[in-house]
């Protein structure tokens, strides 16, 4: 059975190998003569199909082909063609992704790479310089498998070496470094490459290939070889010592020391960033100082890792605290013999606000603390010790030669104080006084020796005339005001029916028409025949108490802003207020809508102040035969004034039954109307006037009655004249246990309601009409315990009262 299976598969495989020649010559072909590189992708697909159909791996199939006479070169070529085909069709040509899939390379010993785990760092650890280097969201030292291999890469066990021979001879090899450290080149034998750099291994392989490819010899070779690396076997390294996440990590073969430290979270709060040892085969082969990279960008010690390497993070020896006006602050590590100047370099130097002439050094003497005032010339002399704390102070906000001038000068600001400088010289440097400068008084604010302030007044006019001048001192602040700064801002106001009502700057000789012009002119609804101006009382009129508050003036003008002679001569004063009234007959255009069963439903403009419901229905063409007149309703838009809105909001804030958030400035109310009576007697009391925004709804004939509330089965019923309210309630299952039978009410289609009435002959429920809703209220829940306590209190009070009456009547 096994022999039959192998024969069947081999015949299929040979058929695929020989398809191209067989199609051309239609003869039996020896598989050893087949040109694998000439096979098409479709033929490669047929070979793969034969393998999968017979359940054979690539290695088993190639071993069988070799046993049947295929050469090693054909086997290598076919292996490469099959792998390339799978890569192209399974991963869209992405070789990098394909190399990660072990199903394509049965002989590649790959495993999942380690990923960084989260951990909770201590607050002290976060303050250590270098912690964020290995734990930053923006800076990642995560190992990358998709990087070109450098010439210095050292080959390891399991690495794949690809050899391409081209030129006069053509061949390709895909070889793996065996456990003995060698690759096996067919027809050549083993070549030991383990531990060699990629560059040296390439040269060695090429030199060995010369023995089987004569075309590679001599000064003018016609055969060439290219050596590259395929899939690389990862390495496992142990990160131990003072790290946040010690353990064994699986990394790509190209990983370095920083890659492993990144996965381990870097040194912990006791770990050293300055002495990190790389141990290989029991010997320290390198020592990494992270500061060399962080400070100077040096990477020569960040060497490539090998399988079973050990990274040892030792405890720190010296650590100091850096605070104050440094560009970097926190905990820094120093080596023996490092000076204050070194820590200045690690801290990035001083900030722009630092006092650089001295530093404060606090030192731990194992028993007590001492303070050292380190001068700038000692930065390169004083050595640092474990536990030292260095602080840089800030410069004092004190100027030696600054004066300032503000106000009505052309160039206000700070100026340099020169020896013997006077006020007149400073004004000249500030390009002189502005035209609106107040010439009678200015003020110099001066700091005295005890830093208290002194005010020195002067006359700018006399300073400019040379009659008086003042010698200036450090930190003097001179204030020269404008005449406009010393008086209230002068404005006029216009309100009413203009395009842009508001406050405007007052100007000398301003007329009424000028202000209206600035306000954009009249609105269409403005009444221009009577413009009113109000004027405040002047200073002389307010000396004495009187009942007068304002003066008022009225003038007429036309829409072209032409006034009569008296109005044209009237000049506005500062703080005048101009009123433009609305024309008495003007009303904003209003619309009302009629919907439902009318001939022409839609919106209609309100043509008269007294236009009524019947008028609008008449304009809409009257009612249709399908109209249910009794169910007509009116929905009215009501816009509250600011005062009404605030009042209603205040009530809602105090009333627990109301929600203040539901109070809106624009509201809609349902108005119950009697449309049959309105249509019968137009102009009657029920025929309401239409307002802007009114919505009149005339429904079609309704045929149902809804029963809701505290009944057993709330449902809609077909309307019939023979049923009364109680009949509809019984059809809904009757009253529920907590129903308030005496409070049943009916909501009619037009928005009106009717309640149940009681009398000597029992309850009288409201009449029922089509489209109405019968609502049965529900009794509130009663707390029996509270109810019992109330009755107990009542009976106790009653008993006490009876006893008191009995005693009083004896």
């Amino acid at each position: 059975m096994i022999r039959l299976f192998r024969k069947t598969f081999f015949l299929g495989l040979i058929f695929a190998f020989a398809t191209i020649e067989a199609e051309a010559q239609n003869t039996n072909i020896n598989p050893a003569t087949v040109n694998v590189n000439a096979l098409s992708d479709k033929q490669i697909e047929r070979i793969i199909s034969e393998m999968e159909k017979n359940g054979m791996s690539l290695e088993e199939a190639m071993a069988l082909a070799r046993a049947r006479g295929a050469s090693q070169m054909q086997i290598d070529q076919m292996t490469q063609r099959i792998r390339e085909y799978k890569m192209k069709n399974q991963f869209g040509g992405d070789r990098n992704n394909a190399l990660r899939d072990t199903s394509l390379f049965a002989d590649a010993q790959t495993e999942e790479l380690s990923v960084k785990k989260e951990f909770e760092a201590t607050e002290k650890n976060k303050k250590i310089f270098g912690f964020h280097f290995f734990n930053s969201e923006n800076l990642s030292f995560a190992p990358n498998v998709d990087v070109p291999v450098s010439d210095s890469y050292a080959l390891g066990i399991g690495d794949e070496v690809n050899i391409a021979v081209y030129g006069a001879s053509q061949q390709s090899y895909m070889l793996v470094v065996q456990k003995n450290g060698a690759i096996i080149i067919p027809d050549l034998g083993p070549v030991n490459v383990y531990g060699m750099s990629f560059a040296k291994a390439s040269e060695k392989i090429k030199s060995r290939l010369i023995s089987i490819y004569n075309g590679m010899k001599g000064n003018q070779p016609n055969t060439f070889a290219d050596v590259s690396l395929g899939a690389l076997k990862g390495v496992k390294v142990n990160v131990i010592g003072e790290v946040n996440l010690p353990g064994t990590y699986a990394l790509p073969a190209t990983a370095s020391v920083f890659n492993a430290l990144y996965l381990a979270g870097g040194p912990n709060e006791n770990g050293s960033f300055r002495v990190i040892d790389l141990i290989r085969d029991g010997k320290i082969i390198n020592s990494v100082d992270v500061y060399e990279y962080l400070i100077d960008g040096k990477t020569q010690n960040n060497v490539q890792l090998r399988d079973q390497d050990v990274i040892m993070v030792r405890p720190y020896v010296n650590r100091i605290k850096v605070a104050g006006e440094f560009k970097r602050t926190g905990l820094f590590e120093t080596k023996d013999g490092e000076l204050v100047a070194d820590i200045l370099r690690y801290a990035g130097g001083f900030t722009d606000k630092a006092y650089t002439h001295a530093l404060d050094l606090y030192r731990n003497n194992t028993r007590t603390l001492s303070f050292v005032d380190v001068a700038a010339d000692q930065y390169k002399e004083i050595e640092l010790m474990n536990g030292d704390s260095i602080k840089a102070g800030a410069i004092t906000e004190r100027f030696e030669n600054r004066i300032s001038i503000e106000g009505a000068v052309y160039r206000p600001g700070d100026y340099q104080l020169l020896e013997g400088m006077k006020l007149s010289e400073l004004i000249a440097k500030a390009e002189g006084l502005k035209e609106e400068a107040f010439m009678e008084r200015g003020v110099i604010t001066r700091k005295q020796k005890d830093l208290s302030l002194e005010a020195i007044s002067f006359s700018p006019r006399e300073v400019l005339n040379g009659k008086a001048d003042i010698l200036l001192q450090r930190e003097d602040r001179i204030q020269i005001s404008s005449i406009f700064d010393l008086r209230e801002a002068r404005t006029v106001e216009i309100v009413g029916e203009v395009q842009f009502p508001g406050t405007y700057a007052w100007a000398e000789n301003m007329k009424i028409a000028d202000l209206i012009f600035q306000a954009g002119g009249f609105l269409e609804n403005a009444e221009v025949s009577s413009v009113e101006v109000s004027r405040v009382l002047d200073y002389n009129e307010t000396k004495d108490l009187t009942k007068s508050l304002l003066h008022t003036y009225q003038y007429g003008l036309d829409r072209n802003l032409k006034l009569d002679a008296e109005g044209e001569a009237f000049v506005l004063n500062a703080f005048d207020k101009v009123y433009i009234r609305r024309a008495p007959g003007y009303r904003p255009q209003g619309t009302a809508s009629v919907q439902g069963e009318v001939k022409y439903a839609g919106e209609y403009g309100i043509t008269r102040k007294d236009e009524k419901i019947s008028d609008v229905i008449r304009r809409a063409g009257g009612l249709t035969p399908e109209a249910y007149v009794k169910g007509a309703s009116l929905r009215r838009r009501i816009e509250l004034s600011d005062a009404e809105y605030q009042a209603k909001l205040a009530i809602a804030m105090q009333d627990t039954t109301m929600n203040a958030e539901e109070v809106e400035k624009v509201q809609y109310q349902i108005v119950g109307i009697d449309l049959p009576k309105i249509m019968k007697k137009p102009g009657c009391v029920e025929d309401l006037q239409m307002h802007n925004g009114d919505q009149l709804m005339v429904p079609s004939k309704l045929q149902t009655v809804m029963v809701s509330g505290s009944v057993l089965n709330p449902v809609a019923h077909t309307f019939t004249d023979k049923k009364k309210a109680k009949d509809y309630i019984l059809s809904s299952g009757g009253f529920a246990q907590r129903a308030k039978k005496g409070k049943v009410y009916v909501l009619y289609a037009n928005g009106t309601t009717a309640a149940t009435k009681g009398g000597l002959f029992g309850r009288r429920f409201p009449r029922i009409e089509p489209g109405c809703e019968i609502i049965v209220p529900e009794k509130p829940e009663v707390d029996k315990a509270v109810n019992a306590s109330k009755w107990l209190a009542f009976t106790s009070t009653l008993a006490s009262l009876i006893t008191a009456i009995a005693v009083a009547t004896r």
Side-chain angles (χ1 to χ4, degrees):
M1 183 69 180
I2 295 176
R3 292 183 63 186
L4 178 61
F5 161 74
R6 289 183 174 178
K7 184 177 180 182
T8 302
F9 170 74
F10 177 69
L11 290 176
L13 187 64
I14 293 301
F15 172 75
F17 263 57
T19 299
I20 188 170
E21 285 81 358
E23 290 175 352
Q25 303 175 16
N26 197 21
T27 58
N28 293 327
I29 298 299
N30 183 356
T33 64
V34 174
N35 184 359
V36 176
N37 290 328
L39 296 178
S40 66
D41 287 348
K42 187 173 182 180
Q43 292 165 332
I44 296 296
E45 181 182 2
R46 292 171 64 181
I47 294 174
I48 296 172
S49 176
E50 288 290 336
M51 292 166 50
E52 293 176 349
K53 184 170 64 176
N54 291 279
M56 298 187 72
S57 67
L58 177 61
E59 288 71 24
E60 291 173 336
M62 294 302 102
L64 184 58
R66 184 184 294 108
R68 296 294 182 175
S71 68
Q72 182 62 43
M73 183 177 70
Q74 287 177 304
I75 298 299
D76 291 340
Q77 290 174 342
M78 182 58 68
T79 301
Q80 184 173 0
R81 288 293 307 276
I82 291 174
R83 289 177 176 175
E84 289 176 351
Y85 180 85
K86 286 187 175 182
M87 280 187 258
K88 183 172 68 173
N89 288 275
Q90 186 168 351
F91 299 98
D94 189 348
R95 174 174 167 78
N96 293 328
N97 290 333
L99 291 177
R100 298 190 188 105
D101 190 342
T102 57
S103 66
L104 299 181
F105 301 95
D107 56 343
Q109 301 177 15
T110 59
E111 59 180 295
E112 187 175 354
L113 300 177
S114 299
V115 295
K116 187 171 183 178
K117 299 178 181 178
E118 294 185 0
F119 67 96
E120 189 65 33
T122 63
E123 290 300 321
K124 182 178 180 181
N125 200 1
K126 294 178 182 179
K127 294 178 181 178
I128 298 173
F129 177 66
F131 169 80
H132 294 286
F133 177 62
F134 295 111
N135 299 279
S136 172
E137 294 180 358
N138 300 320
L139 177 63
S140 172
F141 264 97
N144 192 347
V145 298
D146 299 325
V147 294
V149 176
S150 66
D151 289 342
S152 61
Y153 172 75
L155 271 68
I157 305 299
D159 287 349
E160 183 181 78
V161 180
N162 298 325
I163 305 172
V165 179
Y166 58 95
S169 299
Q170 295 186 0
Q171 182 62 282
S172 62
Y173 305 92
M174 297 181 69
L175 310 173
V176 176
V177 180
Q178 305 297 321
K179 292 184 178 180
N180 62 358
I183 58 173
I184 309 299
I185 301 178
D187 304 324
L188 185 62
V191 179
N192 197 313
V193 294
Y194 176 75
M196 297 180 64
S197 68
F198 174 61
K200 291 184 177 179
S202 298
E203 292 299 323
K204 184 175 182 179
I205 292 170
K206 290 177 182 178
S207 65
R208 291 292 301 274
L209 288 172
I210 294 176
S211 61
I212 58 175
Y213 295 101
N214 292 329
M216 296 178 63
K217 298 179 181 179
N219 295 329
Q220 295 181 344
N222 59 9
T223 302
F224 308 91
D226 180 71
V227 181
S228 61
L229 293 178
L232 304 180
K233 185 177 182 298
V235 297
K236 286 188 176 180
V237 297
N238 298 313
V239 185
I240 60 176
E242 300 296 334
V243 291
N244 287 300
L245 296 169
T248 301
Y249 294 93
L251 296 100
T254 56
S256 65
V257 175
F258 282 172
N259 298 143
L261 286 174
Y262 169 79
L263 294 177
N268 60 22
E269 63 179 41
N270 295 319
S272 172
F273 284 80
R274 308 297 304 275
V275 182
I276 300 174
D277 293 332
L278 175 60
I279 303 173
R280 183 173 296 164
D281 298 329
K283 298 179 181 179
I284 299 176
I285 67 164
N286 194 24
S287 185
V288 178
D289 185 348
V290 179
Y291 278 25
E292 290 183 357
Y293 179 83
L294 294 179
I295 305 301
D296 301 318
K298 297 179 179 179
T299 59
Q300 61 268 27
N301 290 328
N302 185 28
V303 297
Q304 178 186 322
L305 297 173
R306 292 189 185 178
D307 198 39
Q308 300 305 315
D309 277 354
V310 177
I311 298 174
M312 167 67 76
V313 178
R314 306 187 184 279
Y316 72 87
V317 178
N318 298 318
R319 182 177 287 168
I320 67 170
K321 181 179 180 181
V322 176
E325 296 298 326
F326 292 102
K327 294 176 182 175
R328 305 188 190 105
T329 58
L331 300 176
F332 287 77
E333 188 178 346
T334 61
K335 292 182 177 180
D336 292 337
E338 288 192 327
L339 309 173
V340 172
D342 295 317
I343 205 65
L344 282 176
R345 191 167 67 91
Y346 299 156
F350 296 104
T351 67
D352 56 342
K353 296 181 179 180
Y355 178 72
T356 62
H357 293 276
L359 293 174
D360 297 338
L361 173 61
Y362 299 88
R363 175 155 290 174
N364 183 354
N365 297 318
T366 68
R367 291 186 178 180
T368 60
L369 296 175
S370 61
F371 174 79
V372 181
D373 190 359
V374 183
D377 57 1
Q378 297 176 300
Y379 293 168
K380 296 184 179 180
E381 299 176 359
I382 297 180
E383 292 188 9
L384 296 169
M385 297 176 59
N386 185 36
D388 282 354
S389 178
I390 294 179
K391 183 178 181 181
I395 56 176
T396 305
E397 289 286 343
R398 186 174 185 271
F399 290 89
E400 297 178 353
N401 60 343
R402 182 184 68 172
I403 54 177
S404 63
I405 185 169
E406 301 171 359
V409 292
Y410 283 102
R411 297 185 62 84
D414 295 336
Y415 288 87
Q416 178 184 356
L417 175 64
L418 303 176
E419 186 177 355
M421 189 173 184
K422 294 185 178 181
L423 178 57
S424 57
E425 297 176 79
L426 176 61
I427 294 175
K429 279 196 168 189
E431 302 291 344
L433 301 181
K434 292 183 177 180
E435 292 82 354
E436 70 270 17
F438 183 66
M439 303 298 291
E440 304 305 320
R441 180 174 292 271
V443 176
I444 300 175
T445 303
R446 175 171 292 174
K447 287 184 179 180
Q448 301 188 83
K449 292 183 179 180
D450 60 356
L451 299 183
S452 62
L453 298 179
E454 176 187 10
I456 303 173
S457 60
F458 63 92
S459 169
R461 179 179 284 106
E462 293 182 356
V463 171
L464 294 181
N465 292 338
K467 294 182 179 180
D469 213 342
I470 300 174
L471 186 66
L472 298 177
Q473 297 182 11
R474 180 183 61 85
E475 293 293 353
D476 277 356
R477 185 170 63 86
I478 296 89
Q479 175 68 39
I480 299 176
S481 295
S482 163
I483 57 175
F484 303 113
D485 297 333
L486 300 179
R487 68 185 183 190
E488 185 179 355
R490 300 190 175 188
T491 60
V492 289
E493 185 179 359
I494 183 170
V495 296
E497 306 308 310
V498 290
Q499 289 200 69
F500 309 110
T503 301
Y504 293 84
W506 173 79
E508 294 280 354
N509 201 34
M510 177 180 273
K511 306 290 182 65
I512 297 175
D514 299 332
L515 180 57
I516 296 173
F517 175 79
Q518 291 187 47
F522 297 113
L523 296 177
E524 289 298 323
N525 60 338
E527 173 57 57
V528 300
S529 62
S530 179
V531 176
E532 184 174 283
V533 180
S534 63
R535 176 171 293 173
V536 297
L537 304 179
D538 61 27
Y539 175 75
N540 293 324
E541 291 175 314
T542 57
K543 287 182 180 179
D544 302 320
L545 289 174
T546 63
K547 293 183 179 181
S548 297
L549 298 176
L550 294 169
H551 298 295
T552 59
Y553 310 90
Q554 286 189 344
Y555 301 98
L557 72 166
D558 59 21
R559 289 189 171 272
N560 293 324
L561 303 183
K562 292 183 178 180
L563 291 93
D564 53 27
E566 185 180 0
E568 189 63 35
F570 183 82
V571 177
L572 293 175
N573 285 351
F575 314 115
D576 279 357
K577 194 168 185 178
V578 179
Y579 298 89
I580 309 298
R581 312 296 184 190
R582 177 180 294 183
Y586 175 81
R587 291 292 184 274
Q589 185 175 358
T591 59
S593 67
V594 183
Q595 303 296 333
E597 297 300 326
V598 292
K599 191 172 183 180
Y600 306 111
E603 293 191 350
Y604 290 86
I606 300 175
T607 59
R608 296 173 53 84
K609 296 179 182 178
D610 58 350
E611 189 160 16
K612 299 180 181 296
I613 295 175
S614 59
D615 298 327
V616 176
I617 292 179
R618 176 178 50 78
R619 291 171 62 191
L623 303 174
T624 66
E626 292 79 18
Y628 179 53
V629 185
K630 287 186 176 182
S633 62
L634 178 66
R635 189 168 182 258
R636 175 155 289 176
R637 181 180 184 272
I638 299 177
E639 184 172 355
L640 302 178
S641 65
D642 290 338
E644 291 173 330
Y645 175 72
Q646 294 298 331
K648 200 163 187 177
L649 191 63
I651 294 172
M653 298 275 293
Q654 298 175 3
D655 191 343
T656 57
T657 63
M658 298 178 65
N659 186 357
E661 295 181 357
E662 296 179 357
V663 177
E664 297 180 353
K665 200 165 186 179
V666 177
Q667 302 175 351
Y668 289 89
Q669 294 180 350
I670 300 297
V671 181
I673 61 173
D674 188 350
L675 189 58
K677 186 175 181 179
I678 293 173
M679 299 306 296
K680 187 177 181 180
K681 295 182 179 180
C684 62
V685 176
E686 286 78 5
D687 195 3
L688 302 177
Q689 290 183 2
M690 298 298 287
H691 292 177
N692 181 35
D694 280 357
Q695 299 173 1
L696 180 62
M697 179 63 190
V698 182
S700 58
K701 293 180 180 179
L702 303 174
Q703 298 177 335
T704 60
V705 174
M706 180 67 193
V707 181
S708 62
S710 188
V711 292
L712 296 180
N713 183 29
V715 70
H717 301 275
T718 303
F719 172 78
T720 174
D721 293 332
K722 298 179 180 180
K723 284 188 177 182
K724 297 183 179 180
K726 193 170 183 179
D727 298 324
Y728 287 108
I729 294 173
L730 290 175
S731 298
S732 294
F735 292 106
Q737 186 176 0
R738 289 168 51 199
K740 296 179 72 173
K741 302 176 183 178
K743 298 296 182 179
V744 174
Y745 65 95
V746 175
L747 176 62
Y748 296 103
N750 67 348
T752 60
T753 58
T756 300
K757 298 179 180 179
L760 295 176
F761 301 100
R763 299 187 185 95
R764 286 185 298 166
F765 292 104
R767 72 183 187 280
I768 303 302
E769 294 179 355
C772 69
E773 181 179 1
I774 303 171
I775 302 172
V776 182
E778 188 177 57
K779 297 177 182 178
E781 292 186 9
V782 179
D783 192 336
K784 295 182 179 180
V786 174
N787 201 27
S789 63
K790 288 181 178 180
W791 277 105
L792 182 60
F794 173 72
T795 53
S796 299
T797 303
L798 184 60
S800 300
L801 181 61
I802 293 172
T803 303
I805 294 172
V807 172
T809 55
R810 286 180 182 178

